[in-house]
Structure formats: structure tokens, C-alpha cells
Amino acid sequence: MGFLSSLFSFLGCKNTPPTFDEQLKIFVDLGYTLNEGCDTSDINRWQDGHKEFEEQPYRLMYKTLGQTIEREPWTPLTDKCLDFDLEAIEDHGAYIDIMKSISRISNNELKFNNIKDYVDIEKGIAWVSFNCNGDKYKWDLIVNDDWADGNLFDLVQELTDKYNTKGKFTFFNTGGQDFVLGYHTPTELEKIKQITGLDIVWLKAKGQIY
């Protein structure tokens, strides 16, 4: 009985969800380093605390790491991913912020300069312009109230092909109106998926977010 009890106990432990600290360590080991001024209290922000992370192993941690601290200066928790809420377009500057965030998580492999935008929801006009690798771009964008134009993300993914970057953008479905945008090499993505079990796929926004 003692041996069987020990065996069942061992098997039970193997099925125990990883703790908050274990999940965070795994992500840090995978390169999700916290930015200066951020600490674990900024991640542990949900109502039921660590319990919520254990009920949604790796999913909630990944989503949260893509967010900012909840106080000024709203520092991103990491520069490895972005939890993007599609209902994000209110006025001029919205697409500038988006392009800066996209550039940031690409580790500046896609570096956007001279970013400008125009947003007039009532008139149904929106565009963003920028320079990248010496090329000039101006993309006209679809206006749908305060929802971002998902086509923007496919256009950005096309730039990774054009400039033959090491990484490509990835998509993780949270089940809500947000998604987690990542940026990885094929080797990095395979390692993250193998260790966390998360269903992170290459970004192809048409069919994923629009």
C-alpha cells in the first residue's frame, strides 16, 4: 500500500498545473525578460491572483506578458509579445502607437521611421505612413468604428518576406477581442510551443482576425 500510495502521489504531482513562479521562469528562460521598472506584482494583476494562472497554464501568462504595467509610464512588461485589443482606434496617433509596438516586438528587425497617421472615424478615413529600410509606405486603412483594420497586420507580415527578416509575426487566439502578436524564428516558435503547449501559429490575419 505504501508503494502504491507513493506512486499515485507521484503521478498526481506530474499532473499538477505549473505554479505562477514556474510559468514565469519558463517564459523568462525563453527570452521574455521583464523590462526595467516591471516586476512580478505587475503580472499578478488578476482578481484571483496566482490561482488564475494555474487554471489557465501558460495562456494567461503569455497574454499578460504582452500588456503594460497599470500605471504611468505604462511600460510594456516585455518586448517579446503584444496583447493587442482590436478595439483600439479613437483618433489620430492610434496607428502610430501600433506601428511603434510592432517595431518594438520585432527587435527592430522592422524599424519604422517618420511614422504618421490620420484617423477620422466620422468621415471614414484612415491611413498610416512610414519609412522602412529606405522605402516609403502609405497604407489606406478601413474604418469600422473604433476597430483596427486587421489587414494592417498582413501588410506588416509581407514586409518580413520583402526584407527577409530572421523572424516572422505569430498569432495566438485568446478567445476574446484581443490576440497576442509575437515575433519569432521558426526554431524559437517550435521551442515555445513544445515547452508551453500553446497553439501559437504564424500570423495570417485574414481568417484569424478579420
Side-chain angles (χ1 to χ4, degrees), residues 98-113 115 130-135 137 139 152-169 181-183 203:
I98 293 170
M99 296 301 287
K100 287 180 177 178
S101 293
I102 291 172
S103 181
R104 174 176 58 82
I105 70 165
S106 79
N107 196 30
N108 286 322
E109 281 196 8
L110 288 179
K111 192 168 184 178
F112 306 133
N113 299 305
I115 308 172
F130 59 94
N131 299 337
C132 183
N133 287 357
D135 298 321
Y137 297 89
W139 294 338
L152 172 75
F153 297 95
D154 277 337
L155 292 171
V156 169
Q157 186 75 301
E158 289 173 8
L159 294 181
T160 66
D161 292 329
K162 179 177 180 178
Y163 297 120
N164 195 28
T165 57
K166 295 178 182 178
K168 306 288 182 186
F169 290 100
L181 184 72
Y183 187 84
L203 174 73

Side-chain angles (χ1 to χ4, degrees), residues 15 24 26 37 56 76 82 87 95 121 129 135 138-139 143-145 150 160 168 170 176 183 189-190 200 202 209:
N15 292 325
L24 179 57
I26 283 173
Q56 305 176 60
L82 172 66
E87 199 172 5
Y95 281 107
I121 294 176
S129 66
D135 298 321
K138 183 178 180 181
W139 294 338
V143 176
N144 180 17
D145 294 325
T160 66
K168 306 288 182 186
T170 61
Y183 187 84
L189 178 58
E190 183 60 30
I200 303 171
W202 297 116
I209 61 176

Side-chain angles (χ1 to χ4, degrees), residues 55-173:
E55 290 176 344
Q56 305 176 60
Y58 301 109
R59 292 179 59 89
L60 187 59
M61 182 66 71
Y62 185 51
K63 170 188 169 85
T64 306
L65 287 171
Q67 299 176 358
T68 67
I69 61 175
E70 296 182 308
R71 61 185 186 282
E72 292 185 352
W74 316 111
T75 306
L77 287 167
T78 78
D79 291 329
K80 286 286 287 183
C81 60
L82 172 66
D83 180 35
F84 184 77
D85 187 336
L86 285 160
E87 199 172 5
I89 310 302
E90 296 182 358
D91 207 341
H92 307 311
Y95 281 107
I96 293 176
D97 291 340
I98 293 170
M99 296 301 287
K100 287 180 177 178
S101 293
I102 291 172
S103 181
R104 174 176 58 82
I105 70 165
S106 79
N107 196 30
N108 286 322
E109 281 196 8
L110 288 179
K111 192 168 184 178
F112 306 133
N113 299 305
N114 195 30
I115 308 172
K116 299 176 182 177
D117 75 352
Y118 183 88
V119 176
D120 190 323
I121 294 176
E122 291 185 1
K123 293 182 179 179
I125 300 172
W127 53 261
V128 64
S129 66
F130 59 94
N131 299 337
C132 183
N133 287 357
D135 298 321
K136 295 182 179 180
Y137 297 89
K138 183 178 180 181
W139 294 338
D140 292 321
L141 302 166
I142 295 172
V143 176
N144 180 17
D145 294 325
D146 56 354
W147 292 84
D149 182 359
N151 186 54
L152 172 75
F153 297 95
D154 277 337
L155 292 171
V156 169
Q157 186 75 301
E158 289 173 8
L159 294 181
T160 66
D161 292 329
K162 179 177 180 178
Y163 297 120
N164 195 28
T165 57
K166 295 178 182 178
K168 306 288 182 186
F169 290 100
T170 61
F171 169 87
F172 177 72
N173 186 1

Side-chain angles (χ1 to χ4, degrees), residues 30 32 62 80 168 170 183-202:
L30 287 168
Y32 292 76
Y62 185 51
K80 286 286 287 183
K168 306 288 182 186
T170 61
Y183 187 84
H184 307 292
T185 67
T187 301
E188 289 171 342
L189 178 58
E190 183 60 30
K191 186 175 182 180
I192 292 167
K193 292 175 67 173
Q194 184 178 31
I195 293 175
T196 67
L198 293 176
D199 187 20
I200 303 171
V201 298
W202 297 116

